[in-house]
Amino acid sequence: MFRGAAREWVRGQDPKPGVCRGFASAACAANRVSKVECAHGACDNRVLQRRDFRRIMVLPFTRHGKTHWGTFMAEDGKAGDVLEEYVGEGLTFEDFEERRLSMLSADNWYFCKLAHGVILDATHMGSYARFINHHCQPNAELRPWSVNTFRRLAVSLIVDAPSGTEVTFSYDCEGG
């Protein structure tokens, strides 16, 4: 759900997909490289549409005597694998400021700043990706994708990660 001017971001000027005629076509290969999913039903370049992700799990853990939540690999993953889609309510900066002020006493915030002044609030409408913690040397990142001309964010590994590894990304995210 996107509010106000944030709606304009989601239907952006993303590249138009090539005409895919199924797996291994030249258009499909070009789409895959530019993070544009194919609309052709027989094509396997539909990771977000099919939710064809590596399995992850959200678990509690203790750090410095305090219990936290984190996202961990439930199976081995390779660099480039998509783990989850990062979703949330799309807010303008003005809506975000209002929401932030109303949540000052909250223990957990799940905000992610995107391009063009859009901020995702995954507090109430998020996926498991909202539990991914920050790290200065992350093993994952947010990558913008285009799916049927809509912009979406995928959490992708940037290094190989064996089962049991905590998934992290830098909170200095400016996806999309």
Side-chain angles (χ1 to χ4, degrees):
M1 178 173 145
F2 286 82
R3 301 172 106 193
R7 284 189 207 125
E8 298 305 313
W9 176 83
V10 75
R11 281 194 81 83
Q13 299 300 316
D14 285 336
K16 298 289 184 236
V19 178
C20 174
R21 291 182 173 73
F23 181 67
S25 72
C28 177
N31 287 347
R32 189 182 314 272
V33 168
S34 51
K35 305 295 186 238
V36 175
E37 287 201 4
C38 297
H40 191 278
C43 184
D44 76 340
N45 180 26
R46 299 175 63 205
V47 174
L48 295 178
Q49 294 172 76
R50 291 182 178 166
R51 300 191 52 77
D52 187 17
F53 306 143
R54 287 277 162 241
R55 291 184 310 118
I56 57 174
M57 54 192 167
V58 176
L59 299 171
F61 66 96
T62 303
R63 182 179 291 152
H64 308 298
K66 188 173 179 184
T67 301
H68 301 274
W69 290 93
T71 305
F72 297 83
M73 296 297 297
E75 62 184 347
D76 294 346
K78 300 269 186 219
D81 286 349
V82 176
L83 305 180
E84 182 66 67
E85 181 175 4
Y86 195 98
V87 297
E89 183 180 4
L91 306 174
T92 63
F93 185 76
E94 293 77 22
D95 292 331
F96 160 71
E97 280 297 310
E98 184 179 316
R99 178 83 46 95
R100 187 183 64 81
L101 290 173
S102 72
M103 296 177 69
L104 285 176
S105 62
D107 288 337
N108 298 301
W109 299 7
Y110 302 101
F111 295 119
C112 180
K113 182 178 178 253
L114 305 175
H116 310 292
V118 175
I119 295 155
L120 282 183
D121 178 1
T123 304
H124 301 293
M125 302 172 72
S127 65
Y128 289 139
R130 73 179 180 209
F131 296 106
I132 298 174
N133 291 309
H134 168 78
H135 198 282
C136 293
Q137 296 173 326
N139 56 12
E141 67 183 3
L142 291 179
R143 292 184 179 164
W145 283 70
S146 178
V147 181
N148 296 324
T149 71
F150 286 94
R151 292 180 182 167
R152 291 164 69 172
L153 287 175
V155 178
S156 300
L157 286 174
I158 54 176
V159 296
D160 293 353
S163 179
T165 302
E166 183 178 8
V167 178
T168 60
F169 65 79
S170 172
Y171 283 179
D172 291 332
C173 57
E174 292 268 343

